[in-house]
Amino acid sequence: MNTRELTRIAVLAALLYVIQFVGSFILYFEWVNFTILLYGVYLKRKEAWLSVAVFSLLVMLTRGIAPWSIMYLALFPQYTLIYSFFKNKIKSEYIYAFLGFVLAFLCGTLIDLPYMLTAGLGYEALIFRLLAGFQVSLGNGIVTFVSTLFLLKPLKKVFALTRY
Amino acid sequence: MKKSNTFKLGVAIVAILIVAAGYFAINNFMSGQKGSKTIIVTIKDSTTSKTLVDSKKYKTDAANLGDFLAQYKDELGVQMETSKYGRFVVGLKGIKTEDMNKGPWWMYGYESPSQNITMKVGEAPGVDTLGINDKDKVEFVFMNFAAK
C-alpha cells in the first residue's frame, strides 16, 4: 500500500468520523449509514473496508472501548462488503435505497445486541427496549433511504473526480 | 421538474408516510392510559439502606413517567437531565448522582398489574418512553448496580 492510498483511507475515515460526530447530537438523523453505502458502492472494496475500519477504531479510541464501539468495528466494515458485492450487479438507486434502509434499520439493534444478550433482561423489558430502539432505527433508516434515492447518483461524479 | 424526479419524490413521500405510521404505531403501543390514574411510588437509597417513600399513592393525568415526575417535582425532589434520548433522573428526595461515570445512579423498576408487565430495577426504559397506567407501581432505587 503506497502513501497516496494510506492518505486517502485516513481522509475518508476522518470524514466519516466528522459525519458521525455531528450526527450524534441529533436523535433521528444520521448519515453514517449513507456514507458507508457511498464508500461501498463507489470505492474499491479494500479502500472502503479499510476506511470504515479506521473510522471504527477512531470511535473506539476517542469514545472508549465499550460493547457498542466494538460492535461498530464488527458491523460497519462488513456493511461495505455487502454494498461492494452488489455494486456491479445493481444500478438502480431504488434498490440501493431499500438495501440502505434495511441495513440502517438493523444496525441499531445489532449494536445493542451485546447488551441485550448479557443484561439478563426479562421478556417485557426486552420488548420495550427493542420497540424503543425500532423508533430510532426507523428514523435512521428513512434518512438513509431518502438520501440514497436523491444523492447516490449525483455524488457518483464527486467520487469519480477523486479517483486516481 | 423531470418525470423521474417527480416519481422519486412520490416514492420518498410514500416511504416517509409508511415509516411515520410505524413510528406512531409503536408510540401508541408504548403509551400509557389516558385520564386520571393512581401511581404507587417507592423510593429507596440502597447506599444507606433507607426507604424514603414507601408505597405512597399519587394521583396523576400524566401519560408517561417523565411527565408524572415533572408533576411531582417539588414533593419528590425530582431532578432530571435531558439527553437526545429524552429525560433521565439524576436526583430524588435530595439525593443526587454526583459522578455519572461512577454512580451511584437512580434506577427504577416497574410493575403494571393492568398490563401484566413487570420490569426489575434497572430494566425499565427511559422515563419518557414508559407509559403509565392506573395502579402501576414504580420503585426507584439509588444504587451502583442493577439488580439481576
Side-chain angles (χ1 to χ4, degrees):
Chain A
M1 189 177 286
N2 61 35
T3 312
R4 182 189 287 260
E5 287 172 318
L6 280 172
T7 309
R8 272 177 64 90
I9 287 164
V11 170
L12 289 162
L15 179 67
L16 190 51
Y17 183 85
V18 170
I19 289 166
Q20 193 269 347
F21 183 77
V22 172
S24 67
F25 295 103
I26 313 163
L27 184 55
Y28 298 106
F29 195 88
E30 63 91 9
W31 256 1
V32 171
N33 274 283
F34 172 61
T35 312
I36 290 171
L37 185 151
L38 287 175
Y39 286 8
V41 173
Y42 291 141
L43 298 175
K44 292 175 189 167
R45 183 177 299 174
K46 186 174 139 192
E47 191 177 47
W49 192 91
L50 284 171
S51 301
V52 178
V54 171
F55 152 74
S56 305
L57 288 170
L58 277 174
V59 171
M60 282 171 89
L61 280 172
T62 54
R63 306 277 181 89
I65 298 170
W68 68 269
S69 60
I70 294 169
M71 283 307 287
Y72 265 43
L73 186 61
L75 194 68
F76 284 138
Q78 284 36 271
Y79 272 20
T80 64
L81 299 181
I82 295 171
Y83 293 125
S84 191
F85 174 78
F86 288 110
K87 72 177 176 184
N88 293 323
K89 299 176 175 67
I90 298 168
K91 297 290 170 207
S92 166
E93 66 266 47
Y94 293 95
I95 295 175
Y96 280 118
F98 179 73
L99 183 62
F101 175 88
V102 171
L103 294 183
F105 179 81
L106 286 177
C107 85
T109 306
L110 292 173
I111 287 167
D112 207 22
L113 207 56
Y115 172 79
M116 288 194 283
L117 292 175
T118 57
L121 296 177
Y123 172 72
E124 291 101 344
L126 182 65
I127 296 293
F128 262 78
R129 192 168 180 92
L130 280 170
L131 288 175
F134 287 167
Q135 280 190 311
V136 180
S137 298
L138 281 171
N140 294 340
I142 198 68
V143 168
T144 306
F145 181 89
V146 174
S147 302
T148 307
L149 208 55
F150 289 98
L151 298 175
L152 182 68
K153 291 210 164 159
L155 285 174
K156 185 178 184 178
K157 290 171 195 162
V158 177
F159 279 87
L161 283 172
T162 62
R163 222 169 265 155
Y164 55 93
Chain B
M1 193 184 277
K2 275 198 240 171
K3 202 175 176 182
S4 62
N5 282 343
T6 313
F7 181 71
K8 223 178 251 186
L9 193 63
V11 170
I13 290 168
V14 169
I16 290 167
L17 289 175
I18 291 170
V19 164
Y23 179 90
F24 287 113
I26 293 173
N27 221 25
N28 193 42
F29 178 79
M30 291 173 78
S31 66
Q33 176 189 328
K34 285 178 183 150
S36 179
K37 54 204 154 244
T38 302
I39 306 298
I40 302 154
V41 175
T42 298
I43 302 178
K44 290 177 181 173
D45 179 358
S46 75
T47 63
T48 58
S49 303
K50 281 183 183 168
T51 300
L52 307 167
V53 175
D54 191 8
S55 301
K56 190 171 176 185
K57 290 179 180 174
Y58 292 89
K59 285 271 182 197
T60 185
D61 286 332
N64 61 51
L65 188 58
D67 290 345
F68 167 76
L69 290 170
Q71 184 185 346
Y72 286 97
K73 189 181 173 189
D74 295 332
E75 187 176 337
L76 297 174
V78 180
Q79 290 174 278
M80 291 191 279
E81 286 183 8
T82 306
S83 75
K84 70 172 184 174
Y85 296 105
R87 291 173 289 186
F88 62 96
V89 179
V90 292
L92 281 172
K93 287 284 179 186
I95 300 168
K96 192 180 176 188
T97 301
E98 298 299 339
D99 187 335
M100 285 308 291
N101 293 317
K102 291 180 182 170
W105 305 272
W106 279 105
M107 297 185 186
Y108 70 96
Y110 169 76
E111 189 185 339
S112 178
S114 64
Q115 304 300 304
N116 198 23
I117 292 174
T118 304
M119 291 186 231
K120 289 183 284 185
V121 174
E123 285 190 353
V127 292
D128 287 332
T129 310
L130 189 74
I132 49 177
N133 302 279
D134 192 32
K135 296 190 175 59
D136 279 1
K137 293 176 186 172
V138 184
E139 182 185 359
F140 293 93
V141 183
F142 192 58
M143 62 195 299
N144 265 311
F145 299 103
K148 294 278 170 85

